[in-house]
């Protein structure tokens, strides 16, 4: 005999983000099995990501000699002492300047060499901007000399030019420019003279040999960073932390080591203000310094997607693994050139395990990003430089300089699916009857419900229109959906609320429920999900 109808309620469904690591048989209902083109918003809800809107109006400059478009793969910001601002972008074996505001062109800089790669590390230091990558003589942008060209440095470290042993990693800290990961010498770290990145002969410059200090045997320098009066030297399997001040020569001292974890990609090291995040061979890691304990605990940020993320990393060339931290929405996004999926890790509220809530961007393939001092996050990829705003993707189409500029607008495909739900009765046959969902936003769109039984992927679908309900409640009066994103300002009229009821059929021991929708100018977030079910006989 059937039991009374039961209801399972998921407030803030997907709150814990994507989990492909643990067994779905006993999964917490707040984990998602699929979360595409989503982020976790500040209210803890699965919400659609913002759009990518082109800034560069001349994408044709990124075409190679065969006419094939090439992406922007490296970016950096430079601000002079008098407030002049530039955004640098590298692609198609060229380096461009892109102005920050409006729809403006990529302007190619004159270079004293012909690059064969585009993985420049761009470092601002003392009113100059330095460009470093392996196999290339380092360059400098000095606006006092030229704003249209880069030049070679006035000086290089002793023997570097004769041997052609050029650095691949750099960092500006403690009044000096630091270099590491040299061609043919991946264990030496150098620092320049005080306040001069081109001073490698006067008193004050120096070097450090790390080969004797790696705790897990031989390792190579992959990245450099500085935090809280510590110089952090990343190896691929170890991390060294040195304490220092501006008087590097007399005060540089090894303070701590981390064995068995390191950084495999220079451009994955990103500061978040109080922390550094980076990509290790095992996944995304966080380097948190605990002053009281005088130790460096490591947290496994990508724990919930560990295996699939590791598999994605193994397919990549390490130079192509890049990341950026977006402050407003508190996420670290990792770009993988050979994978259409970018992994997004929310840092707003870590899970009890220390993992971050993860979602994916599957529709677009940004290759790099940069966070600027005016609190804007720019992304680089096919066609040039993009801003992250609005609720639709807008790309530029302009095959040649003589063609008019056209904008192609595309929707954002959001998908959220639960893990199989058994309502606490895995041995009983279930007869789901209704699925109710509360959605914010999505004007004039449709929300497709997908459901399937017993771990199957042959989903039945049913679609309803997203029409504002106009019910009393609380909502964000200052949010212009699709333009300015979500701002926290409340009113008593919930005109952007949708409450949809889907009558469903079928039976099984468990049910997986999912929603898909196309975001076109109006952002969507899922507030609540209820599944009503009749419980049948024991199987």
């Amino acid at each position: 005999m059937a039991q009374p109808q039961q209801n399972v309620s998921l407030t803030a469904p997907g709150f814990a983000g994507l989990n492909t690591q643990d067994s779905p048989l006993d999964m917490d209902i707040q984990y998602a099995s699929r979360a595409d083109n989503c982020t976790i918003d500040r209210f803890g809800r699965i919400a659609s990501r913002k759009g990518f809107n082109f800034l560069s109006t001349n994408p044709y400059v990124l075409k190679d000699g065969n006419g094939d478009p090439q992406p922007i793969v490296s970016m950096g910001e430079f601000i002079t002492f008098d407030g002049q601002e530039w955004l640098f972008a590298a692609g198609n074996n060229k380096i461009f300047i892109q102005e920050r505001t409006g729809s403006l062109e990529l302007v190619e800089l004159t270079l004293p060499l012909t690059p064969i790669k585009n993985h420049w590390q761009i470092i601002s230091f003392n009113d100059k901007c330095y460009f470093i990558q392996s196999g290339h003589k380092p360059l400098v942008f000095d606006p006092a000399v030229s704003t249209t060209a880069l030049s070679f440095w006035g000086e290089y470290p002793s023997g570097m030019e004769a041997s052609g042993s050029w650095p691949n990693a750099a960092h500006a800290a403690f009044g000096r420019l630091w270099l590491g990961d040299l061609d043919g010498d991946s264990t030496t770290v150098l620092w320049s003279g005080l306040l001069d990145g081109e001073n490698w002969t006067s008193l004050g410059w120096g070097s450090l040999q790390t080969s004797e200090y790696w705790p897990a045997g031989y390792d190579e320098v992959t990245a450099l960073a500085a935090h809280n009066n510590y110089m952090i030297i990343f190896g691929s399997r170890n991390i060294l932390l040195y304490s220092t001040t501006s008087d590097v020569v007399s005060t540089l001292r090894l303070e701590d080591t981390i064995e068995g974890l390191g950084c495999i990609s220079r451009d994955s090291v990103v500061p978040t203000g109080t922390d550094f995040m980076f990509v290790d061979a095992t996944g995304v890691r966080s380097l948190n310094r605990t002053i009281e304990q005088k130790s460096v605990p490591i947290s496994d940020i990508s724990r919930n997607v560990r295996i699939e993320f590791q598999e994605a990393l193994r397919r990549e060339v390490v130079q192509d693994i890049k990341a950026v931290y977006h402050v407003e929405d508190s996420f670290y996004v990792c770009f993988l050139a050979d994978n259409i999926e970018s992994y997004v890790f929310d840092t707003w509220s870590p899970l009890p395990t220390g993992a971050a809530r993860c979602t994916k961007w599957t529709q677009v393939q940004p290759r790099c990003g940069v966070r600027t001092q005016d609190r804007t996050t720019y992304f680089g990829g096919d066609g040039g430089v993009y801003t992250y705003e609005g609720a639709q993707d807008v790309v530029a189409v302009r095959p040649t300089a003589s063609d008019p500029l056209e904008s192609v607008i595309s929707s954002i495909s959001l998908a959220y699916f639960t893990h199989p739900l058994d309502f606490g009765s895995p041995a009983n046959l279930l007869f789901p009857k209704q699925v109710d969902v509360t959605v914010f936003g999505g004007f004039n769109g449709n929300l497709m419900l997908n459901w399937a039984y017993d771990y199957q992927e042959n989903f039945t679908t049913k679609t309803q229109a997203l029409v504002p309900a106009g019910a009393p409640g609380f909502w964000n009066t200052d949010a212009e959906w699709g333009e300015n994103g979500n701002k926290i300002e409340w009113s008593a009229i919930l005109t952007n609320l949708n409450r949809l009821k889907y009558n469903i059929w079928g039976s099984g021991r468990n049910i997986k429920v999912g929603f898909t929708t196309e975001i076109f100018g109006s952002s969507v977030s899922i507030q609540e999900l209820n599944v009503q079910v009749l419980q049948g006989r024991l199987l």
Side-chain angles (χ1 to χ4, degrees):
M1 179 176 179
Q3 301 297 315
Q5 185 167 289
Q6 299 181 39
N7 177 75
V8 60
S9 179
L10 285 78
T11 55
F15 169 80
L18 188 65
N19 191 328
T20 61
Q21 182 68 24
D22 299 324
S23 169
L25 295 176
D26 193 28
M27 186 74 67
D28 189 300
I29 61 175
Q30 289 192 322
Y31 283 114
S33 64
R34 182 179 172 190
D36 296 343
N37 295 311
C38 305
T39 60
I40 308 295
D41 70 14
R42 67 187 68 193
F43 305 109
R45 305 173 303 206
I46 284 283
S48 57
R49 66 163 173 83
K50 296 177 184 176
F52 292 94
N53 293 273
F54 78 92
L55 194 63
S56 305
T57 60
N58 55 337
Y60 55 84
V61 299
L62 290 169
K63 290 186 175 182
D64 62 17
N66 297 320
D68 297 324
Q70 302 298 313
I72 293 294
V73 296
S74 297
M75 296 182 69
E77 180 194 34
F78 176 51
I79 301 177
T80 63
F81 290 163
D82 60 3
Q84 290 180 289
E85 303 175 357
W86 284 280
L87 194 65
F88 294 105
N92 196 23
N93 295 331
K94 300 174 182 178
I95 299 176
F96 303 93
I97 281 183
Q98 165 77 68
E99 292 188 39
R100 287 234 204 125
T101 57
S103 297
L104 301 172
E105 293 187 348
L106 291 165
V107 178
E108 184 179 352
L109 293 168
T110 302
L111 307 179
L113 52 73
T114 302
I116 59 174
K117 296 184 294 183
N118 299 293
H119 300 291
W120 295 100
Q121 187 170 20
I122 303 171
I123 303 293
S124 296
F125 177 54
N126 200 22
D127 219 27
K128 297 179 183 179
C129 195
Y130 296 84
F131 294 73
I132 293 98
Q133 72 167 319
S134 64
H136 294 72
K137 195 172 182 177
L139 305 176
V140 62
F141 177 81
D142 185 352
V145 175
S146 173
T147 59
T148 62
L150 273 65
S151 59
F152 293 128
W153 296 2
E155 292 179 354
Y156 292 97
S158 177
M160 183 177 289
E161 192 156 15
S163 63
S165 181
W166 305 117
N168 186 58
H171 192 71
F174 311 109
R176 301 169 191 274
L177 183 66
W178 298 69
L179 304 176
D181 190 17
L182 280 63
D183 298 325
D185 182 4
S186 56
T187 60
T188 299
V189 174
L190 309 171
W191 59 85
S192 71
L194 190 63
L195 300 180
D196 190 351
E198 298 179 68
N199 176 6
W200 298 95
T201 57
S202 301
L203 181 65
W205 82 277
S207 65
L208 169 70
Q209 179 55 252
T210 64
S211 60
E212 299 177 359
Y213 302 103
W214 300 113
Y218 177 78
D219 206 345
E220 299 178 346
V221 176
T222 57
L224 303 172
H227 179 60
N228 197 25
N229 281 336
Y230 287 91
M231 190 66 203
I232 305 168
I233 301 176
F234 291 93
S236 60
R237 295 177 294 110
N238 303 271
I239 303 174
L240 305 178
L241 292 99
Y242 287 82
S243 63
T244 184
T245 65
S246 59
D247 185 11
V248 176
V249 177
S250 63
T251 62
L252 195 64
R253 183 177 62 184
L254 183 64
E255 289 283 349
D256 205 350
T257 63
I258 302 171
E259 179 180 350
L261 290 174
C263 174
I264 62 172
S265 173
R266 178 199 70 188
D267 295 327
S268 70
V269 179
V270 177
T272 64
T274 58
D275 194 5
F276 275 92
M277 297 177 70
F278 59 95
V279 173
D280 174 70
T282 60
V284 178
R285 299 285 178 167
S286 171
L287 181 67
N288 279 322
R289 173 152 298 278
T290 305
I291 301 300
E292 295 82 0
Q293 296 179 351
K294 298 293 184 182
S295 63
V296 184
I298 297 289
S299 56
D300 188 355
I301 298 298
S302 57
R303 178 206 174 279
N304 292 339
V305 292
R306 182 188 299 144
I307 292 178
E308 71 163 271
F309 188 65
Q310 289 176 4
E311 291 174 351
L313 292 177
R314 282 192 286 270
R315 295 192 295 267
E316 294 293 325
V317 178
V318 294
Q319 291 89 347
D320 289 327
I321 302 171
K322 302 176 187 289
V324 69
Y325 181 70
H326 180 58
V327 176
E328 281 73 20
D329 296 320
S330 300
F331 62 70
Y332 171 94
V333 54
C334 183
F335 313 111
L336 305 174
D338 290 336
N339 193 330
I340 192 62
E341 298 173 336
S342 297
Y343 287 81
V344 183
F345 299 94
D346 176 76
T347 63
W348 187 270
S349 179
L351 297 170
T353 60
R357 296 173 292 177
C358 178
T359 57
K360 293 181 183 178
W361 293 344
T362 62
Q363 187 174 330
V364 297
Q365 192 180 25
R367 295 289 300 274
C368 60
V370 64
R371 174 70 178 180
T372 59
Q373 291 190 19
D374 67 347
R375 300 187 298 279
T376 302
T377 302
Y378 295 94
F379 292 87
D382 293 336
V385 178
Y386 292 79
T387 56
Y388 181 66
E389 59 186 351
Q392 58 195 17
D393 291 333
V394 185
V395 299
V397 177
R398 191 178 177 189
T400 68
S402 60
D403 291 306
L405 179 68
E406 297 181 8
S407 299
V408 175
I409 302 175
S410 60
S411 60
I412 301 170
S413 300
L414 179 147
Y416 159 72
F417 284 71
T418 69
H419 283 279
L421 306 172
D422 60 18
F423 303 89
S425 302
N428 288 86
L429 185 65
L430 304 176
F431 297 88
K433 297 300 181 182
Q434 183 172 297
V435 175
D436 302 336
V437 60
T438 303
V439 177
F440 286 88
F443 299 148
N444 302 318
N446 296 309
L447 188 69
M448 179 182 289
L449 170 69
N450 304 258
W451 74 94
Y453 296 100
D454 297 334
Y455 308 107
Q456 301 298 312
E457 297 295 321
N458 54 334
F459 290 95
T460 305
T461 63
K462 195 171 184 179
T463 302
Q464 289 196 47
L466 290 168
V467 180
F474 294 97
W475 81 293
N476 165 359
T477 59
D478 201 27
E480 297 178 19
W481 295 98
E483 295 183 9
N484 297 333
N486 297 329
K487 299 178 182 178
I488 306 176
E489 292 191 17
W490 301 99
S491 172
I493 301 298
L494 196 53
T495 56
N496 66 334
L497 175 69
N498 290 271
R499 293 192 178 102
L500 304 179
K501 298 181 182 296
Y502 297 82
N503 294 321
I504 65 173
W505 55 89
S507 62
R509 296 176 64 174
N510 57 64
I511 181 174
K512 179 187 285 190
V513 177
F515 293 96
T516 58
T517 185
E518 296 296 319
I519 311 300
F520 202 91
S522 179
S523 302
V524 167
S525 59
I526 301 175
Q527 174 67 32
E528 187 177 7
L529 172 65
N530 292 277
V531 182
Q532 297 172 19
V533 61
L534 290 175
Q535 182 176 302
R537 61 183 174 82
L538 288 172
L539 295 177

